[in-house]
Amino acid sequence: MNLLRLYMTEIEQGLAELCDLVRKQAQPEGAVMFSIPQITKEDETRLIADDYDTIPVTVLHGQDAIEQCINAYKDMYVTDDAMSRRFVNKFPGLVPLSCTWQTLAPVLEAVNQAKLQFKTEVQKYENAEEKWFEVHDRFHYLITTMAYRKIYAFDGDHKAFYFNWSRRQRVETKSAEEWIDRLDKARYTIPSSHTKSSWYALVDQEQKIVANCGAEKLSMRRPIKLRPECSVRDLENRMTGYSAGLPFLLTGHTSRPKITALPDYKRKKASTSSGKWQLVVPRVHLYCGSLTV
């Protein structure tokens, strides 16, 4: 059997078992989900050109939250052509279970392991056309990033789950020579929008720009798309952040944690430090300058 098909079968079988467990063991009195509107193709065009102005959030409790949780775990395909396939659905929330961690853990691990194996296998295809054939021709309407998403679960009592909106930058700083080497490696992954010659010409041009910019070090400042996150505080007051793309599960608790509801998103005026940075290579968000990160 093809490995992609094997791992997808394992994902689907594991999700069926997990969803059955959630349906049987979920505690409605503590379940909460924060429902976010899906993005349409019309929305997508505007958001790529600009950004979100507002995002309304609907809070679901009890059995409604449990049903959305179950649907969220199985959400890997976008079959409606009117809906965006670039802005994936997000399902922040928390569903407590009455079962023990020992009951949940092997089921959850099987799903997450299959997801990781599927992702690893997909990423072996460096050629865009081959990847499209092997993945999207095999799994119609599949959104790979939705299939990859890890499901997080927590065991024992926790003080709080603080849901919030986040848009942080991913910053990576290297020497000019290291960036030139990094750009050179991009030659082997030719986008479908380029021919081999046009892609090589673009990489050559970008390498020359970096070499001639005069900076010893440059920083890639790649923005992360707006997304819901959650800061989880344990009983020892340690705080850990998690992506909240899928609902969390909770076992082994003796009390309800505090849950800060995900608020409606409202656009804020963007701050700028353009005077401290100069954009050098737009394609990879590469800047020279000095800014304290």
Side-chain angles (χ1 to χ4, degrees), residues 41 43-51 84 86-87 225:
K41 281 284 184 65
D43 295 330
E44 175 186 289
T45 303
R46 176 178 54 81
L47 292 173
I48 292 172
D50 189 13
D51 200 358
S84 173
R86 295 186 62 174
F87 291 80
K225 290 179 181 178

Side-chain angles (χ1 to χ4, degrees), residues 21 26 38 56 79 85 103 146 163 184 203 208 262 292-293:
L21 185 150
Q38 294 186 34
T79 59
R85 294 186 172 94
T103 298
M146 292 163 70
F163 288 91
D184 197 59
V203 173
K208 289 179 181 178
L262 182 71
T292 301
V293 176

Side-chain angles (χ1 to χ4, degrees), residues 134-152:
E134 291 293 341
V135 180
H136 297 290
D137 278 5
R138 190 180 303 278
F139 308 102
H140 296 300
Y141 306 112
L142 175 71
I143 308 301
T144 53
T145 52
M146 292 163 70
Y148 297 162
R149 287 186 292 191
K150 183 178 180 179
I151 301 171
Y152 292 102

Side-chain angles (χ1 to χ4, degrees), residues 11 15 18-19 22 68-76 91 93 95 108 111 115 146 150-152 246-249:
I11 290 173
L15 285 174
L18 178 64
C19 291
V22 170
Q68 186 175 84
C69 171
I70 291 170
N71 290 335
Y73 290 149
K74 296 184 289 185
D75 184 51
M76 297 186 293
F91 300 97
V95 175
L108 186 65
V111 173
K115 283 171 170 279
M146 292 163 70
K150 183 178 180 179
I151 301 171
Y152 292 102
L246 289 175
F248 303 149
L249 297 172

Side-chain angles (χ1 to χ4, degrees), residues 79-238:
T79 59
D80 187 344
D81 288 336
M83 305 309 295
S84 173
R85 294 186 172 94
R86 295 186 62 174
F87 291 80
V88 301
N89 301 331
K90 302 292 196 304
F91 300 97
L94 175 69
V95 175
L97 305 177
S98 58
C99 65
T100 64
W101 177 256
Q102 288 71 25
T103 298
L104 172 64
V107 179
L108 186 65
E109 176 60 25
V111 173
N112 284 333
Q113 181 63 23
K115 283 171 170 279
L116 180 59
Q117 290 174 315
F118 183 81
K119 178 180 179 179
T120 301
E121 190 66 22
V122 170
Q123 292 181 338
K124 289 180 180 179
Y125 296 102
E126 296 184 351
N127 181 278
E129 291 185 3
E130 183 183 15
K131 180 184 290 187
W132 183 269
F133 173 78
E134 291 293 341
V135 180
H136 297 290
D137 278 5
R138 190 180 303 278
F139 308 102
H140 296 300
Y141 306 112
L142 175 71
I143 308 301
T144 53
T145 52
M146 292 163 70
Y148 297 162
R149 287 186 292 191
K150 183 178 180 179
I151 301 171
Y152 292 102
F154 303 87
D155 184 48
D157 288 322
H158 290 71
K159 283 190 174 181
F161 289 78
Y162 303 104
F163 288 91
N164 56 81
W165 291 100
S166 177
R167 189 204 303 279
R168 295 172 289 108
Q169 283 191 321
R170 183 182 293 114
V171 181
E172 185 177 359
T173 301
K174 295 178 180 292
S175 68
E177 291 78 11
E178 288 174 316
W179 283 118
I180 290 172
D181 290 341
R182 179 94 163 254
L183 288 168
D184 197 59
K185 293 177 182 178
R187 294 180 189 277
Y188 306 106
T189 305
I190 303 173
S192 57
S193 58
H194 279 271
T195 63
K196 182 176 180 179
S197 60
S198 70
W199 180 242
Y200 277 25
L202 176 61
V203 173
D204 288 340
Q205 181 185 19
E206 291 174 341
Q207 288 179 308
K208 289 179 181 178
I209 291 172
V210 172
N212 295 332
C213 74
E216 292 185 4
K217 291 185 176 293
L218 299 96
S219 292
M220 181 180 72
R221 302 181 60 83
R222 187 183 299 277
I224 297 176
K225 290 179 181 178
L226 179 69
R227 66 179 188 179
E229 293 188 349
C230 185
S231 298
V232 180
R233 187 185 296 277
D234 65 18
L235 295 182
E236 297 179 2
N237 280 326
R238 293 174 300 195

